Amino acid sequence: MTLLKEPDFGTPERPGGATVSVEVDGLPVTVPEGTSVLRAAAQAGIDIPKLCATDSVEPFGSCRLCVVEIDGRRGTPASCTTPVADGMVVRTQTPKVEKLRQGTMELYISDHPLDCLTCSANGDCELQDMAGVVGLRQVRYGYEGENHLDAAPDLSNPYFDFNPSKCIVCSRCVRACGEVQGTFALTIEGRGFDSKVSPGAGESFMDSECVSCGACVQACPTATLQERSVVELGMPSRSVVTTCAYCGVGCSFKAELRGDQLVRMVPYKDGGANEGHSCVKGRFAFGYATHPDRKLKPMVREKTSDPWREVEWDEAIQAVARRMRAIQDAYGPASIGAISSSRCTNEEVYVVQKMVRAAFGNNNVDTCARVCHSPTGYGLKQTFGESAGTQDFRSVAKADVIMVIGANPTDGHPVFGSRMKRRLREGAQLVVVDPRRIDLVRSPHVEAAHHLQLRPSTNVAVINSMAHVVVTEQLVDASFVAERCEGFAEWAEFVALPENSPEATEAVTGVPAEQLRAAARLYAAAPNGAIYYGLGVTEHSQGSTMVMGMANLAMACGNIGRDGVGVNPLRGQNNVQGSCDMGSFPHELTGYRHVSDDAVRTVFEQLWGRSILPEPGLRIPNMFDAAIDGSFRGLFVHGEDIAQSDPNLKHVSAALSAMELVVVQDLFLNETAKFAHVFLPGASFLEKDGTFTNAERRINRVRAVMKPKTGKHEWQIVCEIATAMGYPMAYDHPSQIMDEIAQVTPTFTGVSFDVLDKLGSVQWPCNEQAPEGTPTMHVDAFVRGKGKFVVTAYVPTDERTTSRFPLVLTTGRILSQYNVGAQTRRTGNVAWHPEDVLELHPLDAENRGVTDGDLVTLASRVGSTTLRARVSDRMPPGVVYTTFHHPVTGANVVTTENSDWATNCPEYKVTAVQVGLAHPLGRHASESVGDDRLAGVD
């Protein structure tokens, strides 16, 4: 494909019912009321020269290049800031405007380096283009006077350079930082000739509040802000539209290449999830795909103490099949299984679960969603009838009150976080329910109306108290409940009990009663109230209960079935939703249908030609327990690092060590590979063809930018293992896998690669009733018929603080890093987060003699590790916080096996711990961290 150039209409679209008709250079055009003359002309096929205008930000009117003449009006107004009027006649190419444009351009060029032929933006510079468009042939003003040509560049950012000598002060970067990203890190400093773009208060980009989302780079019309990869490699010449492989937002990108070398990732304006925006990970952190740490050849060894031996694919695949069959012969059909990954495509996940059920002959397949969002599937299935969020991301633009519970969108889902902040700046109100003071509580132009800083593990008590207020103060949407729900009376009687009042729960939750009452009233009274939640909800012993509690509250207030409302999980990884959709749980086939359903099994059995067991297989924790007791002996791990990501790593390590065969398929030799007997190299998302499904149920195409560096596709490897084990499984192309998925999955009936290529993306359900997908679920009725209210009693966690472990540890993510860090740690993102740190309140630090930057020991009842302290009042006294992106820290050495009662999702968010000063005894600090981590495992 050639380089895809998306049209720029100059100013944003003005959707609306009323339209007006205008004439531009003799051509009639009808556009929505409020549309700019500039955009109307572009829609008529007439490009008016422009520099300060672009359709991602509001018009500014500073460059004066887009001036036009309008019949009946004096002067030459800027077309970007002039709205159309019915009957308006516009002339864009008169001698007067041509002369004005040439004069304006002459002034720009007089203070701009004339190095076009050697400039990194040559061929992709709007200033260069516009000089040609306006017919500039001479520059009468020399360089003798004062100019900006000697302004020093800022090279502090690892991904882009800032060269102020080429800046035309159009303010596009400043406006993009504010309007699109919502960080407001850039400003115009000075006045007149002294005006210049400044990050922060005269700081470098790296030292400022810039989050490196790339919006400023994307908006810049010159080489002032330029990707360093373009500077080093040259301008790209072709592009492929694909989908980011990081978080659950699922941003669409143009992967732009020069030959077969990836130069940059540019956010795609037609991407349904991101609409042209991006974050530092998706925009810049793709270098891991070509990192020298990648393993490209299969490797085998008999024992984990043996060195790895590189082999050809045939030998590796035969080794897996032979050893898996031998284990089954010795220990029975249920002695082996697999773990699939939410970082893999739908097609890859589908063939893994098919391999387990058809070739292994059991249901021992699970997915990493077990340890993050499995309570979402259970809770929403029970209440709404479907295991997925209710809205699309655009819906937040209609929300009047937004409740964020246990999520940190600006770090974990930054592109959606920017969309949310835009709505908050427009006047929506925010309630944050979180033990930690996340950035959304207060940041530029955004402040939460309420921050309910609850104690970890008390989510259910808080949501029940909010429901208590809604019921006892008659704030229920009675008509919605009567028409569309069931079980209300029993639930209402439960939440109205005195023990669920805010006053009664205050001692448990730590949330002041009046503050909780005010937040509940705000949500209930909102015309549109939306709930967005994350792992701070699901990774608890009552994760499933809390999901049902939020669903109860939304139904009671009538906040389901239209734009601006809903219960919306913010999925952690790029394909968590998709991996769950694909039948990767041990109790479900695709589309969340239980294996005990005879009719469902028959569909698969007839297609696959194999019987499927009606009993659920082993979950991940059950696999570990069975491995230790000797009944589970072989495991295929597809794209997951369970020896870093799962809780109580001492137990995980013991389970992996007990197995006779561990097969790991991944890009890198990760922590789990230390226990592996066969290593199968994987493909990066740049080498994949398939689909991801994001948090809003949007199925996006993933297109290969390059051939697999390993010589094989991941779905192909899985099929060859199944075939070698005696079950023939083969496809010519991943599109055939999707066709099979559509054949057996009612919610995917209308999905195919052809449909996705035509429509760009669709949100399931996509079938005969909704051939172009379903942006909003449960519009007229719930999937289960009527929404079901479920009694959600608060049960305190078994994980209690003691005199030995008096603090509570909770965990989370940070903007620059992703999951276990295997990808982002191999990119320039380490500049922002070179190590995991422990946040603790100043009072807790003072009581332990800890100062900021000290090396401390973090210990729980199952293990200990060592990391650096960050003294911060983001956490309340008694609560500490860390991330889990660096294996050398091994945060999950200390997390326990406590888990959700319904799904076994680990209670990562609540671990009783103690913190104390570490004493490395003369060792280098980094050695101390690593050694102490290993001590915690052994």
Side-chain angles (χ1 to χ4, degrees):
M1 180 186 291
T2 58
L3 194 65
L4 177 60
K5 289 282 190 179
E6 297 170 273
D8 187 338
F9 293 94
T11 61
E13 184 181 7
R14 302 297 185 211
T19 59
V20 297
S21 297
V22 300
E23 180 183 299
V24 182
D25 291 346
L27 296 177
V29 59
T30 300
V31 294
E33 193 174 27
T35 299
S36 71
V37 169
L38 179 63
R39 187 178 183 97
Q43 291 182 208
I46 298 169
D47 292 328
I48 298 174
K50 63 186 186 302
L51 280 174
C52 73
T54 184
D55 56 16
S56 62
V57 294
E58 291 299 317
F60 197 56
S62 69
C63 77
R64 307 305 298 171
L65 206 63
C66 71
V67 293
V68 295
E69 289 193 274
I70 300 174
D71 286 5
R73 296 196 186 184
R74 297 176 59 187
T76 51
S79 60
C80 65
T81 55
T82 303
V84 295
D86 203 39
M88 177 183 281
V89 177
V90 180
R91 305 183 192 281
T92 73
Q93 294 292 338
T94 67
K96 183 177 182 179
V97 298
E98 288 179 358
K99 185 176 181 180
L100 287 171
R101 289 173 186 161
Q102 288 176 357
T104 299
M105 181 58 68
E106 193 175 0
L107 291 171
Y108 276 121
I109 297 300
S110 70
D111 191 17
H112 194 83
L114 297 180
D115 59 353
C116 292
L117 293 180
T118 57
C119 177
S120 59
N122 186 24
D124 190 35
C125 173
E126 293 180 43
L127 184 68
Q128 184 183 49
D129 293 342
M130 290 304 105
V133 168
V134 304
L136 184 66
R137 296 293 180 264
Q138 63 174 342
V139 178
R140 294 166 292 171
Y141 314 109
Y143 291 93
E144 296 82 9
E146 193 174 359
N147 56 55
H148 301 91
L149 300 181
D150 59 351
D154 178 352
L155 309 179
S156 61
N157 189 282
Y159 293 123
F160 60 83
D161 298 337
F162 174 55
N163 189 344
S165 70
K166 299 186 178 184
C167 181
I168 60 173
V169 200
C170 64
S171 293
R172 273 165 59 164
C173 60
V174 176
R175 289 179 285 145
C177 186
E179 296 175 28
V180 179
Q181 168 57 30
T183 298
F184 296 89
L186 303 181
T187 186
I188 299 295
E189 178 184 292
R191 296 175 62 84
F193 180 82
D194 294 325
S195 299
K196 62 180 181 180
V197 172
S198 175
E203 302 165 298
S204 70
F205 267 86
M206 199 60 186
D207 293 333
S208 74
E209 294 188 359
C210 168
V211 294
S212 297
C213 68
C216 61
V217 180
Q218 185 72 5
C220 182
T222 68
T224 305
L225 286 158
Q226 183 70 278
E227 299 96 336
R228 192 164 297 164
S229 57
V230 173
V231 176
E232 295 172 352
L233 302 175
M235 290 302 304
S237 57
R238 64 184 182 94
S239 56
V240 178
V241 176
T242 190
T243 304
C244 178
Y246 280 118
C247 78
V249 175
C251 295
S252 297
F253 280 87
K254 294 182 297 180
E256 295 191 345
L257 301 97
R258 186 179 179 91
D260 62 353
Q261 190 167 30
L262 181 61
V263 176
R264 63 183 176 187
M265 297 289 286
V266 178
Y268 188 43
K269 288 165 65 173
D270 285 341
N274 59 317
E275 298 180 315
H277 191 35
S278 60
C279 79
V280 62
K281 294 189 287 289
R283 182 71 158 89
F284 297 115
F286 53 82
Y288 70 90
T290 53
H291 196 278
D293 283 355
R294 269 193 71 178
K295 299 300 179 183
L296 304 180
K297 296 280 290 183
M299 298 186 294
V300 300
R301 57 186 177 183
E302 285 300 313
K303 303 188 298 295
T304 56
S305 57
D306 295 338
W308 285 111
R309 178 172 62 88
E310 286 191 357
V311 297
E312 297 301 319
W313 275 110
D314 286 349
E315 182 178 346
I317 288 167
Q318 290 300 324
V320 173
R322 183 185 69 256
R323 296 180 70 170
M324 285 289 189
R325 285 197 304 266
I327 290 170
Q328 286 187 305
D329 290 343
Y331 302 98
S335 58
I336 63 174
I339 298 173
S340 66
S341 173
S342 295
R343 287 193 288 274
C344 296
T345 66
N346 287 319
E347 294 74 16
E348 290 164 347
V349 173
Y350 178 84
V351 296
V352 169
Q353 63 87 28
K354 181 177 179 179
M355 173 183 71
V356 170
R357 292 187 162 105
F360 291 9
N362 60 50
N363 286 315
N364 292 340
V365 62
D366 209 350
T367 178
C368 63
R370 172 68 55 205
V371 300
C372 64
H373 265 287
S374 50
T376 286
Y378 181 88
L380 295 183
K381 184 82 169 180
Q382 299 302 308
T383 51
F384 296 163
E386 192 60 271
S387 301
T390 60
Q391 315 295 125
D392 64 1
F393 289 145
R394 293 187 183 100
S395 171
V396 76
K398 300 290 182 66
D400 300 296
V401 171
I402 301 168
M403 188 147 55
V404 176
I405 308 179
N408 187 3
T410 55
D411 275 21
H413 305 83
V415 171
F416 176 72
S418 295
R419 194 188 286 266
M420 181 183 289
K421 287 195 291 183
R422 190 180 312 138
R423 178 58 185 153
L424 294 172
R425 294 195 302 272
E426 293 169 350
Q429 292 185 281
L430 174 67
V431 176
V432 173
V433 185
D434 202 295
R436 187 168 178 259
R437 193 185 72 243
I438 61 175
D439 287 345
L440 279 177
V441 172
R442 187 171 187 179
S443 57
H445 302 273
V446 169
E447 185 169 6
H450 302 283
H451 176 203
L452 307 186
Q453 196 169 26
L454 77 171
R455 294 190 179 105
S457 82
T458 62
N459 287 341
V460 173
V462 166
I463 207 73
N464 285 345
S465 290
M466 296 186 80
H468 176 93
V469 175
V470 170
V471 169
T472 59
E473 296 187 8
Q474 289 77 52
L475 299 176
V476 173
D477 187 332
S479 60
F480 181 91
V481 170
E483 294 171 10
R484 298 195 51 186
C485 304
E486 62 185 14
F488 175 76
E490 181 184 359
W491 173 79
E493 181 181 1
F494 160 72
V495 296
L497 293 172
E499 55 261 38
N500 286 322
S501 71
E503 289 73 20
T505 60
E506 181 175 335
V508 174
T509 67
V511 178
E514 278 309 306
Q515 189 179 13
L516 192 147
R517 284 187 177 274
R521 292 166 184 153
L522 181 66
Y523 173 78
N528 289 325
I531 296 174
Y532 293 91
Y533 71 93
L535 303 183
V537 161
T538 56
E539 292 178 345
H540 284 278
S541 61
Q542 281 201 287
S544 294
T545 309
M546 180 60 179
V547 172
M548 293 186 288
M550 294 184 297
N552 291 336
L553 183 65
M555 288 188 290
C557 298
N559 282 325
I560 294 291
R562 62 184 185 277
D563 275 349
V565 299
V567 178
N568 305 286
L570 295 176
R571 305 284 192 165
Q573 297 186 56
N574 54 305
N575 201 34
V576 171
Q577 184 68 60
S579 68
C580 299
D581 298 341
M582 292 299 102
S584 58
F585 284 129
H587 67 291
E588 288 176 335
L589 290 156
T590 64
Y592 305 97
R593 293 164 296 162
H594 205 278
V595 294
S596 63
D597 188 317
D598 293 342
V600 172
R601 283 202 323 282
T602 298
V603 171
F604 288 87
E605 288 173 342
Q606 290 178 346
L607 181 64
W608 292 354
R610 286 290 175 98
S611 296
I612 298 173
L613 296 177
E615 299 84 17
L618 298 176
R619 297 173 174 179
I620 292 174
N622 305 138
M623 293 179 187
F624 295 156
D625 292 342
I628 291 173
D629 71 24
S631 59
F632 187 80
R633 313 291 288 186
L635 180 63
F636 177 79
V637 185
H638 187 220
E640 281 302 305
D641 192 2
I642 54 177
Q644 186 183 346
S645 63
D646 283 41
N648 190 355
L649 292 184
K650 183 177 181 180
H651 183 68
V652 176
S653 300
L656 290 171
S657 299
M659 294 188 202
E660 292 184 15
L661 177 64
V662 174
V663 181
V664 169
Q665 182 162 356
D666 214 312
L667 300 179
F668 309 103
L669 281 174
N670 55 25
E671 296 298 298
T672 308
K674 294 176 181 178
F675 303 91
H677 306 86
V678 180
F679 180 84
L680 304 176
S684 75
F685 80 107
L686 297 172
E687 300 152 42
K688 294 188 177 188
D689 204 347
T691 58
F692 293 148
T693 306
N694 74 350
E696 53 174 355
R697 295 171 284 105
R698 185 181 300 278
I699 307 165
N700 271 317
R701 282 281 278 116
V702 183
R703 296 179 179 88
V705 174
M706 57 190 71
K707 293 180 179 180
K709 294 183 178 297
T710 64
K712 283 188 182 290
H713 299 286
E714 290 192 14
W715 57 265
Q716 182 183 6
I717 297 162
V718 173
C719 290
E720 290 180 5
I721 292 172
T723 301
M725 290 188 69
Y727 178 73
M729 197 160 86
Y731 304 91
D732 296 325
H733 191 267
S735 63
Q736 295 174 347
I737 305 175
M738 178 52 73
D739 291 343
E740 184 173 318
I741 293 166
Q743 186 177 348
V744 296
T745 314
T747 49
F748 276 68
T749 301
V751 181
S752 68
F753 279 27
D754 288 343
V755 168
L756 296 174
D757 290 341
K758 177 183 176 182
L759 299 179
S761 63
V762 297
Q763 292 171 261
W764 67 258
C766 179
N767 45 35
E768 289 183 3
Q769 293 74 37
E772 295 191 0
T774 309
T776 302
M777 296 283 286
H778 319 297
V779 174
D780 298 314
F782 288 92
V783 170
R784 67 180 307 277
K786 287 195 171 185
K788 182 181 180 181
F789 282 92
V790 179
V791 171
T792 54
Y794 167 64
V795 179
T797 177
D798 291 336
E799 182 73 3
R800 308 291 176 84
T801 55
T802 64
S803 57
R804 184 180 177 192
F805 302 112
L807 303 174
V808 175
L809 168 71
T810 189
T811 61
R813 300 181 180 185
I814 198 166
L815 170 64
S816 62
Q817 296 295 323
Y818 171 72
N819 200 261
V820 296
Q823 294 146 281
T824 44
R825 281 186 284 105
R826 291 176 169 90
T827 71
N829 282 29
V830 293
W832 290 280
H833 190 72
E835 62 180 351
D836 294 318
V837 297
L838 184 74
E839 287 186 13
L840 71 166
H841 191 274
L843 288 177
D844 294 323
E846 183 179 2
N847 289 339
R848 290 158 177 78
V850 173
T851 59
D852 198 74
D854 281 347
L855 203 62
V856 297
T857 298
L858 175 70
S860 73
R861 61 181 174 83
V862 299
S864 65
T865 187
T866 310
L867 67 171
R868 296 197 182 281
R870 177 175 293 161
V871 180
S872 167
D873 63 359
R874 280 181 178 262
M875 306 304 299
V879 181
V880 295
Y881 168 88
T882 190
T883 51
F884 52 92
H885 303 304
H886 291 264
V888 70
T889 304
N892 284 323
V893 167
V894 302
T895 54
T896 69
E897 296 171 88
N898 287 346
S899 64
D900 175 50
W901 62 271
T903 66
N904 283 131
C905 182
E907 194 171 39
Y908 289 119
K909 304 308 180 190
V910 187
T911 304
V913 297
Q914 179 59 289
V915 175
L917 279 170
H919 301 287
L921 301 177
R923 292 179 299 175
H924 189 274
S926 63
E927 294 175 347
S928 171
V929 172
D931 291 348
D932 285 346
R933 179 209 180 262
L934 294 175
V937 175
D938 294 336

